[in-house]
Amino acid sequence: NAGVTQTPKFRILKIGQSMTLQCAQDMNHNYMYWYRQDPGMGLKLIYYSVGAGITDKGEVPNGYNVSRSTTEDFPLRLELAAPSQTSVYFCASSQRFGYTFGSGTRLTVV
Amino acid sequence: ELKVEQNPLFLSMQEGKNYTIYCNYSTTSDRLYWYRQDPGKSLESLFVLLSNGAVKQEGRLMASLDTKARLSTLHITAAVHDLSATYFCAGGFNTDKLIFGTGTRLQVFP
C-alpha cells in the first residue's frame, strides 16, 4: 500500500515560475486535500475535493489552482510563484473518519 | 471564522513529569483529531475523538473531548524524551475539511 504519494519532495523555484505539485492516492478515497505549512505553524487548507470533477477553496487559495480529473490524482498548480509561497505542502485523502497524509513537498521560491 | 487554538505553544518539561495540552475550538465539531509531527516529517495520527466525553489512551498519552465546552485535551503522563515533537489538534466542524490548531512544540529534557 503506497497510501498518498507526493512528488517532488523538494523544489526550488524562481519568482514568477510555475510548477505543479503532484499527489496520488491508491486507497480509492473520495476526499482529497492540499495543505501548506509555514515554518513553526499549523497546516492551512488550500483546496479540497470531494470527488472527481469537484473542487472547492479552502482557507488560503490565492495563487493556486487545482483539478481533479480522476479519483486517484489531485495536482496543485502554482502560477507565478512568489516568495510567500515558500512552504511545505501536504496532500491528504480521507474516507469517513480516517485521514492519510503524504510525506510533503518542500518548496522554496527565490 | 473557524478557529482552533492550542496552548501552550511551547512546552519544555522534565522527564517524569505530567502535563496537559489544551485545544479550544470556536464552533461545533463532530470529531477532533490529535497528530504528532517530528521535525521535517509528515503527520502521524494519534487519536480520533468522535463523541462528547470520548477518552482514548495510548501509552503515556491520553486524549479527551468535551464538545459542550468545545475543548479537547492531550495529557502526557511521566514524559520521556521520545515524546519530544510538535502536537496538533484538528477539528472537522461538521465538514470533511480539517482545520488545524497552531501546534504545541514539546521538548522533554532529562
Side-chain angles (χ1 to χ4, degrees), chain A residues 21-41:
Chain A
L21 281 66
Q22 302 292 344
C23 176
Q25 53 96 4
D26 62 358
M27 298 169 286
N28 203 33
H29 286 174
N30 288 325
Y31 296 85
M32 296 188 74
Y33 316 83
W34 274 105
Y35 289 89
R36 61 175 285 173
Q37 184 178 30
D38 297 332
M41 303 295 288

Side-chain angles (χ1 to χ4, degrees), chain A residues 31 33 35 37 40-43 45 48 57 59 90 94 96-99 101-103 106, chain B residues 31 33 35 37 40-43 45 48 50 88 95-103 105:
Chain A
Y31 296 85
Y33 316 83
Y35 289 89
Q37 184 178 30
M41 303 295 288
L43 278 71
L45 182 64
Y48 67 103
K57 297 178 180 179
E59 302 169 272
F90 289 102
S94 74
R96 290 183 60 78
F97 303 120
Y99 290 79
F101 284 83
S103 58
R106 186 175 298 272
Chain B
R31 54 215 151 87
Y33 296 77
Y35 289 92
Q37 186 180 40
K41 302 295 186 181
S42 187
L43 282 77
S45 180
V48 181
L50 299 176
F88 292 97
T95 74
D96 291 287
K97 302 176 291 184
L98 284 185
I99 303 299
F100 281 80
T102 50
R105 186 176 301 178

Side-chain angles (χ1 to χ4, degrees), chain B residues 2-76:
Chain B
L2 303 177
K3 288 186 177 180
V4 180
E5 295 182 344
Q6 288 180 237
N7 67 84
L9 298 181
F10 299 97
L11 179 55
S12 182
M13 57 189 297
Q14 194 171 17
E15 282 188 333
K17 299 294 187 181
N18 304 332
Y19 210 85
T20 301
I21 300 171
Y22 297 89
C23 175
N24 293 273
Y25 50 95
S26 62
T27 189
T28 303
S29 177
D30 57 353
R31 54 215 151 87
L32 199 291
Y33 296 77
W34 284 96
Y35 289 92
R36 167 181 172 146
Q37 186 180 40
D38 293 303
K41 302 295 186 181
S42 187
L43 282 77
E44 173 189 353
S45 180
L46 295 175
F47 302 106
V48 181
L49 304 168
L50 299 176
S51 61
N52 186 42
V55 177
K56 290 194 174 182
Q57 183 166 4
E58 180 71 33
R60 301 175 187 274
L61 301 177
M62 183 174 69
S64 66
L65 179 63
D66 181 343
T67 57
K68 294 180 180 179
R70 299 178 183 172
L71 171 68
S72 181
T73 61
L74 181 66
H75 186 73
I76 303 159

